[in-house]
Amino acid sequence: MTESSTRPRVAVIAAYNEDRFIGSVVIKTRRHVDHVIVIDDGSTDDTARVAEEAGALVLRHAENRGKAQAINTGLNKARELKARVTVLLDADGQHNPDEIPALIAPILEGSADVVVGSRFLGVRSHIPIWRIFGQHALTLATNVASGIMLTDSQSGYRALSNKALEAIRFRPNGGFSMESEMQFLIQQHRLAVEEVPVRVVYAEKPKRNPFTHGLQVLNGIITMVSQNRPLFFFGVPGLLGLLSGLILGLIVVQRYHAYQTLAVGYALISIMLFIVGVQTLFTGIVLHSIRAFLSDKRE
Ligand SMILES: Nc1nc2c(ncn2[C@@H]2O[C@H](COP(=O)(O)OP(=O)(O)OP(=O)(O)O)[C@@H](O)[C@H]2O)c(=O)[nH]1
Ligand SMILES: [Mg+2]
């Protein structure tokens, strides 16, 4: 037997006030992995006790620190256990643990570092239409911003190889944009990603306002793209501003030749667009160089 095949399969479940579901989720998950780690994130109900009684290793945050921090705590433990494969799934029963074997297969076969359980790949779940719309909007934003194309950027059902486990650490204040953040980390660390179809259950009403939640994720994506891909974030609008300034300037010159009158207003707008465009583009180039310099120093 090779050393890697004896390493454990670990599941990491972030849970916040999920005592109604966590017991059955842990029991069903234990059928497919060697260790189930539940991070109780300052729940005010019986989540920790139920999870422990169901056979999970429970780590507790004294107060609520958000999903990203909870998953970081769980991944630290998975690293300590030298996990061969780490599965992330939700505590509220929306993910079916019996799909774990299919989810981890590409990792055990060595073809992927990250496997995302996609709700929009072949298998149809009963998902409310407004949710599908919101999910696709966030996926489009995440795909364009990160450069990694997935059909479901927001799925919390994922599996990580040992290499991905070493690379993935979420920003402490990432909150609910951690799924999008993982897509940036996949790009940054050149991890091989695959998607596997999963079926989800939305039996209950959403716990948080989906609109506010969507905006929080979008805010996270904007922060990440400005930090991780400054050339894209500043360069594209800068180039657009610069080009529209140039085009408007050419129109002003053409009209001056035709009518011998200077369209002063348009001329000023064209100069302003040009200057702002050049400045934004240079901001992108400078930040990109600083980022490249810092990452060279880190290596
Ligand atoms: N650690 C931690 N986990 C959380 C927190 N809020 C939610 N979770 C967990 O993260 C997972 C996903 O959260 P949900 O609230 O179900 O998010 P969702 O599935 O997008 O939305 P719903 O349709 O409302 O279920 C669940 O396992 C929750 O228990 C939190 O503040 N801290
Ligand atoms: Mg949920």
Side-chain angles (χ1 to χ4, degrees):
M1 235 191 279
T2 62
E3 199 234 336
S4 85
S5 65
T6 59
R7 289 179 170 196
R9 288 163 299 173
V10 175
V12 168
I13 306 176
Y16 180 59
N17 289 342
E18 301 283 10
D19 66 1
R20 287 185 305 145
F21 300 101
I22 191 71
S24 70
V25 171
V26 170
I27 289 168
K28 288 180 189 171
T29 304
R30 283 179 62 205
R31 293 178 191 150
H32 304 288
V33 299
D34 304 295
H35 303 281
V36 177
I37 301 167
V38 169
I39 307 90
D40 171 42
D41 197 22
S43 296
T44 50
D45 68 359
D46 258 347
T47 296
R49 222 178 83 195
V50 176
E52 222 153 46
E53 284 170 5
L57 170 65
V58 178
L59 305 174
R60 301 187 78 162
H61 286 177
E63 52 195 46
N64 185 263
R65 280 154 62 182
K67 191 178 174 191
Q69 288 256 45
I71 295 288
N72 273 345
T73 301
L75 295 184
N76 280 341
K77 190 68 195 176
R79 280 187 277 270
E80 236 175 69
L81 293 168
K82 301 201 179 333
R84 177 188 186 197
V85 52
T86 307
V87 180
L88 307 180
L89 75 157
D90 283 359
D92 59 359
Q94 283 174 341
H95 300 145
N96 176 3
D98 288 338
E99 292 181 322
I100 290 177
L103 197 77
I104 64 177
I107 290 180
L108 299 182
E109 286 158 11
S111 63
D113 295 310
V114 177
V115 180
V116 177
S118 170
R119 296 162 286 182
F120 307 115
L121 204 68
V123 184
R124 288 234 167 273
S125 308
H126 292 286
I127 307 176
I129 188 80
W130 50 268
R131 261 181 185 270
I132 296 182
F133 178 78
Q135 300 290 359
H136 283 321
L138 292 176
T139 291
L140 180 68
T142 310
N143 285 354
V144 171
S146 69
I148 299 284
M149 299 297 154
L150 295 180
T151 60
D152 186 359
S153 68
Q154 302 304 305
S155 169
Y157 203 6
R158 287 160 187 244
L160 309 176
S161 71
N162 187 253
K163 181 179 173 193
L165 183 64
E166 287 306 320
I168 287 175
R169 285 170 175 81
F170 299 107
R171 292 171 305 138
N173 51 358
F176 273 92
S177 42
M178 53 151 288
E179 280 84 13
S180 292
E181 186 175 0
M182 195 187 286
Q183 222 160 303
F184 283 87
L185 293 169
I186 289 169
Q187 192 262 350
Q188 198 181 326
H189 295 280
R190 310 251 182 279
L191 300 172
V193 62
E194 270 181 40
E195 287 186 295
V196 161
V198 294
R199 201 184 289 276
V200 285
V201 183
Y202 285 99
E204 306 227 329
K205 278 202 300 190
K207 290 167 225 111
R208 283 162 283 110
N209 179 332
F211 186 69
T212 332
H213 174 67
L215 286 183
Q216 281 168 347
V217 177
L218 203 59
N219 181 33
I221 296 170
I222 292 170
T223 311
M224 281 180 273
V225 77
S226 65
Q227 288 172 355
N228 291 310
R229 303 183 71 197
L231 195 55
F232 173 79
F233 186 73
F234 292 101
V236 172
L239 210 57
L240 285 178
L242 188 156
L243 284 178
S244 31
L246 272 181
I247 292 168
L248 195 62
L250 284 177
I251 294 172
V252 170
V253 171
Q254 194 196 28
R255 286 185 61 149
Y256 180 75
H257 277 297
Y259 307 111
Q260 262 71 51
T261 52
L262 183 65
V264 181
Y266 286 126
L268 286 177
I269 293 173
S270 135
I271 293 168
M272 193 194 72
L273 277 173
F274 187 80
I275 293 174
V276 172
V278 168
Q279 276 196 339
T280 314
L281 183 61
F282 270 95
T283 307
I285 294 171
V286 170
L287 287 177
H288 176 77
S289 312
I290 293 175
R291 204 172 173 276
F293 176 71
L294 288 177
S295 67
D296 273 357
K297 279 192 103 177
R298 243 181 270 138
E299 271 162 19

